[in-house]
Structure formats: structure tokens, C-alpha cells
Amino acid sequence: MQDAHSTDTSPGRTPTGASRQVPESPSQPVPEALQALTLDAAAADVPVPRPARAKRQVQEALQAPQVPPARPRNSRASTTGEVAGVRITSARRIIDVESGTRKLDLVRYYARVAPWLLPHLRDRPVALLRAPQGLGGERVFQRHLTRMAIPGVTLHDELDGGHPLIGIDSLDALIHVAQMDGIELHTWSARAANVDLPDRVVFDLDPDPALGWERVIEAAQLTRTLLGDLGLEAFCQTSGNKGLHIVVPLVPGPGWDDTKAFARAVAQRLASGWPTQFTAIQNADHRKKKIYVDYLRNVRGAGTAAAYSVRARPGLGVCVPIAWDELAQTTGGAHWTLANIDVRLKQLNRPKRAAPWARFTEVRQTVSSELTLRLEEGGA
DNA sequence: GAGGAGT
DNA sequence: ACTCCTCAACGCCAT
DNA sequence: ATGGCG
């Protein structure tokens, strides 16, 4: 996920005040609707909207260039849908231009995937990455529900300095979140009832885009082997983006500091053992041609995109848990997207087939400062 | 996206 | 009734 | 102290 207020290619920003300028010419050809819109705004003495608003108008213009101007009042119903008993506004709004996905497609996905997704959300604080103006617009990361309630959503008060954390424990809550353009769902690595004792360690393997996918598969297997040597069973999911997540379930016990220290030791061991393959340093220049092992998800208040969460990036990748023996057949971190995820869900529905993470809730293991020390001192 | 203030 | 404005995170690490 | 990062 990115910073909450990323301003990418913003069309025709106008300085506050009287003088306004024609938008710089974009590198891509500008659709006619957009040209007309910006030209009109510049020519007539019309107040020029703020960038976010401009994007919204542009998007609307692109989607429905031929909407009759005199639409009868109250006929917004044409773009209002219903999913699982929840009113979905702007249902036909396109949220991802690349795939042509509409808001209603997103909401319906979350309704369909709920049986698999909800167990990963249940009882955990959840943070949302919302994109009310679509993937091209402003993205909002939301950890608390202070101002506004979302129907069905559970509130965990006083777990985070008195700011109510978000809990999604029902289909109803999930669909209301999707109605609010909640696209990514990030869960804490601890249960709300035991929020100071993490119950998993997560390693986010984030490759330099230049690297081939085989390198990422190899890196994941190295990580699995290292953890296995420490007596820890690990699980793998596609990140829906470029890389993979390695997840190690824990019996709660060690606190956040010990858990983070362990995760850091693992990341640094990978980086020192295979220096051409891994880095544990976040800065961009250290990452060239490497796979960044992001161990900093293992901090109180941080989160990781949940299994079956959509990612708010063009193409709308999905996080998908897989079995280790499936890894070699994957083609990338975004192997599954909103466009092809149904194939996977159908597989999961086959009664005889073992769930890829069947053992996840059965594993009984934990970490300790002793184990971390052993790792740091170079022991096996 | 939603709520509140302002017109 | 409508438009406009505002709001919706945070901790860690490298430098 | 600041900036970038996720």
C-alpha cells in the first residue's frame, strides 16, 4: 500500500487564486471527454475544482460520456444495487480502468469470498485501504472509526489509545465496508482479545520489479527452509501485488518486541546468507535486484493484507493462500485477480480437496528471545 | 463515501 | 434542496 | 530532525 494521499498524475492543478493555466499535456493521449472538460473549465470563468474533485469529474466523464444532462431526479436508482441486503451506491462506477472492474464487481466478490475471508478477519483489528474515487484517485488508509460508523462493524475501543479499532466479523460488516470502497483489508498479527501477544509472524517478500518470478519462488523456499530449520512451519500466500507473504502461526506468548526481534533476525540472516538474493533494508537503493524481506509488519499497530483481500492496484490482484507444492505453478504475486479468482474459489469448494492452509490453525509453535539469539549468533 | 455547515 | 468542505494512520528505519 | 516506506 502507498501513502494515503499520493498525488500521481494530477490533471490541470490550478494554483489558488485568479490565474489559471492550461493543464500540461499528459504523455498519454487524452480522451475527448477529458479534453472538453478541461478546456471548458479553462476557457469559461468557471471555478476550477481541487485535484481530487477534478479526478472525480474526469472519471465520471469517462464512464458516462453520453448521460443525458437532464436526468430526472431520483433516477440514481439506475446505479444503485443491492448485495446481501446492503444498498450499494454507484454500483456501475468503474474502479479500475485497466480491467474495467465496477464497484459492484468488487462488492460481489467480497460477498462470494466471505466464507473463506471472514475467518481471517474475525477477532482481529482490521485497517482499510479505501479508494473512493477509484484506483486512480486519492487512497485513504483507515485504522479507526472515530467520526463515522459503518453498519455491522465491530468497534474495539481502548485498544489503541482510545481510538476505536475496526472489526469485521460478519458478512454484513464486510459488505458495508465494500460499499464504503474498502478495497484492501489489513489485519493485525494479533487477536483483539489478546492484542499485546501476536499470534503470527509475517514476512513480506517484495522483489525489485526487474527480478523474474523464479527468483521470488526460490526466495520463498529458502525462507521456508530457514524457518523449518528453526522448527517452525510456515505458510505461503500470493500478495496480490509483486511478491509473496510467508506467514508463521504462533501460540501467543512472546510480546511484540520479541516477535519483531525474531522477524528481524530471520530477515537479516537471509540477507547475510544470500546477499545477492535478499536485503532487509527498506530504502530503495538497497533493493536493486534484490528481494526486500519486510519484517516490519510484525509491530503493534501494523498490519498485513489479509488472505483473500483485494489489492488496490491496477488489475486488482488478490491475496491467495496456497500450498507449498502449488508455488512452482504460480506465475506471479498477482497470479489471481478479481478477473480469475472464481476458478480458485471453485477449487476450494471441492469437498475432498484439502484446504491449502489446513494445518494453519493446528500448528502449535512459538518463538523466543533464545531462538532469536541463536539465529543472531549464527547457530543452526 | 458520508456527514455537517453553509447558502 | 443543494453545494461545498472536510475527514478518514502510524511506527520504524536510514540518513 | 526528516523522509520514505508499507
Side-chain angles (χ1 to χ4, degrees), chain A residues 90 93 148 181:
Chain A
S90 307
R93 210 187 82 233
M148 180 185 16
D181 290 300

Short mmCIF file of all heavy atoms in Angstrom, two decimals, chain A residues 90 93 148 181, chain B residues 1-4:
data_model
loop_
_atom_site.label_atom_id
_atom_site.label_comp_id
_atom_site.label_asym_id
_atom_site.label_seq_id
_atom_site.Cartn_x
_atom_site.Cartn_y
_atom_site.Cartn_z
N SER A 90 -23.59 3.89 -6.49
CA SER A 90 -22.64 3.99 -7.62
C SER A 90 -22.15 2.62 -8.06
O SER A 90 -20.96 2.42 -8.32
CB SER A 90 -21.44 4.86 -7.25
OG SER A 90 -21.86 6.10 -6.78
N ARG A 93 -20.07 2.35 -11.16
CA ARG A 93 -18.84 3.15 -11.27
C ARG A 93 -17.64 2.25 -11.51
O ARG A 93 -17.47 1.23 -10.83
CB ARG A 93 -18.63 3.95 -9.98
CG ARG A 93 -17.94 5.25 -10.17
CD ARG A 93 -17.61 5.90 -8.83
NE ARG A 93 -16.40 5.33 -8.30
CZ ARG A 93 -16.27 4.82 -7.10
NH1 ARG A 93 -17.29 4.78 -6.29
NH2 ARG A 93 -15.12 4.34 -6.71
N MET A 148 -17.29 8.30 12.04
CA MET A 148 -18.41 7.73 11.31
C MET A 148 -18.51 6.23 11.60
O MET A 148 -17.50 5.56 11.67
CB MET A 148 -18.15 7.95 9.82
CG MET A 148 -19.20 7.42 8.91
SD MET A 148 -18.71 7.64 7.20
CE MET A 148 -16.95 7.97 7.30
N ASP A 181 -16.12 1.59 -0.28
CA ASP A 181 -14.94 1.50 -1.12
C ASP A 181 -13.73 0.97 -0.37
O ASP A 181 -12.59 1.32 -0.71
CB ASP A 181 -14.61 2.85 -1.77
CG ASP A 181 -15.64 3.22 -2.82
OD1 ASP A 181 -15.78 2.46 -3.78
OD2 ASP A 181 -16.32 4.24 -2.66
P DG B 1 -18.70 6.48 -3.88
OP1 DG B 1 -17.68 5.68 -4.56
OP2 DG B 1 -20.13 6.23 -4.02
"O5'" DG B 1 -18.34 6.54 -2.36
"C5'" DG B 1 -18.17 5.35 -1.60
"C4'" DG B 1 -18.49 5.62 -0.12
"O4'" DG B 1 -17.55 6.58 0.40
"C3'" DG B 1 -19.87 6.21 0.10
"O3'" DG B 1 -20.43 5.63 1.28
"C2'" DG B 1 -19.61 7.70 0.29
"C1'" DG B 1 -18.23 7.72 0.90
N9 DG B 1 -17.44 8.87 0.47
C8 DG B 1 -17.21 9.29 -0.80
N7 DG B 1 -16.44 10.34 -0.86
C5 DG B 1 -16.13 10.62 0.45
C6 DG B 1 -15.33 11.65 1.00
O6 DG B 1 -14.72 12.53 0.40
N1 DG B 1 -15.29 11.59 2.39
C2 DG B 1 -15.93 10.64 3.15
N2 DG B 1 -15.78 10.74 4.46
N3 DG B 1 -16.68 9.67 2.65
C4 DG B 1 -16.74 9.73 1.29
P DA B 2 -21.90 6.02 1.72
OP1 DA B 2 -22.40 4.83 2.40
OP2 DA B 2 -22.63 6.62 0.59
"O5'" DA B 2 -21.66 7.15 2.82
"C5'" DA B 2 -20.89 6.82 3.95
"C4'" DA B 2 -20.89 7.97 4.94
"O4'" DA B 2 -20.00 9.01 4.48
"C3'" DA B 2 -22.25 8.64 5.14
"O3'" DA B 2 -22.39 8.86 6.52
"C2'" DA B 2 -22.14 9.94 4.36
"C1'" DA B 2 -20.65 10.25 4.49
N9 DA B 2 -20.10 11.03 3.37
C8 DA B 2 -20.37 10.88 2.04
N7 DA B 2 -19.69 11.71 1.27
C5 DA B 2 -18.93 12.44 2.15
C6 DA B 2 -18.00 13.48 1.97
N6 DA B 2 -17.66 13.96 0.77
N1 DA B 2 -17.39 13.99 3.07
C2 DA B 2 -17.73 13.50 4.28
N3 DA B 2 -18.59 12.53 4.58
C4 DA B 2 -19.16 12.04 3.46
P DG B 3 -23.71 9.24 7.16
OP1 DG B 3 -23.96 8.23 8.22
OP2 DG B 3 -24.71 9.51 6.12
"O5'" DG B 3 -23.35 10.61 7.89
"C5'" DG B 3 -22.19 10.66 8.70
"C4'" DG B 3 -21.79 12.10 8.93
"O4'" DG B 3 -21.23 12.64 7.70
"C3'" DG B 3 -22.96 13.02 9.30
"O3'" DG B 3 -22.55 13.80 10.40
"C2'" DG B 3 -23.18 13.86 8.05
"C1'" DG B 3 -21.78 13.92 7.46
N9 DG B 3 -21.74 14.15 6.03
C8 DG B 3 -22.49 13.54 5.05
N7 DG B 3 -22.20 13.94 3.84
C5 DG B 3 -21.19 14.87 4.02
C6 DG B 3 -20.48 15.65 3.08
O6 DG B 3 -20.61 15.66 1.85
N1 DG B 3 -19.53 16.47 3.69
C2 DG B 3 -19.30 16.53 5.05
N2 DG B 3 -18.36 17.38 5.46
N3 DG B 3 -19.97 15.81 5.95
C4 DG B 3 -20.89 15.01 5.37
P DG B 4 -23.60 14.62 11.21
OP1 DG B 4 -23.42 14.25 12.62
OP2 DG B 4 -24.91 14.53 10.55
"O5'" DG B 4 -23.06 16.10 11.01
"C5'" DG B 4 -21.67 16.36 11.12
"C4'" DG B 4 -21.37 17.72 10.56
"O4'" DG B 4 -21.30 17.65 9.11
"C3'" DG B 4 -22.43 18.78 10.88
"O3'" DG B 4 -21.78 19.98 11.27
"C2'" DG B 4 -23.19 18.93 9.57
"C1'" DG B 4 -22.09 18.68 8.55
N9 DG B 4 -22.55 18.22 7.26
C8 DG B 4 -23.50 17.27 6.99
N7 DG B 4 -23.69 17.06 5.71
C5 DG B 4 -22.81 17.94 5.10
C6 DG B 4 -22.57 18.17 3.72
O6 DG B 4 -23.11 17.62 2.75
N1 DG B 4 -21.60 19.14 3.53
C2 DG B 4 -20.94 19.80 4.54
N2 DG B 4 -20.04 20.71 4.17
N3 DG B 4 -21.15 19.60 5.83
C4 DG B 4 -22.10 18.66 6.03
#
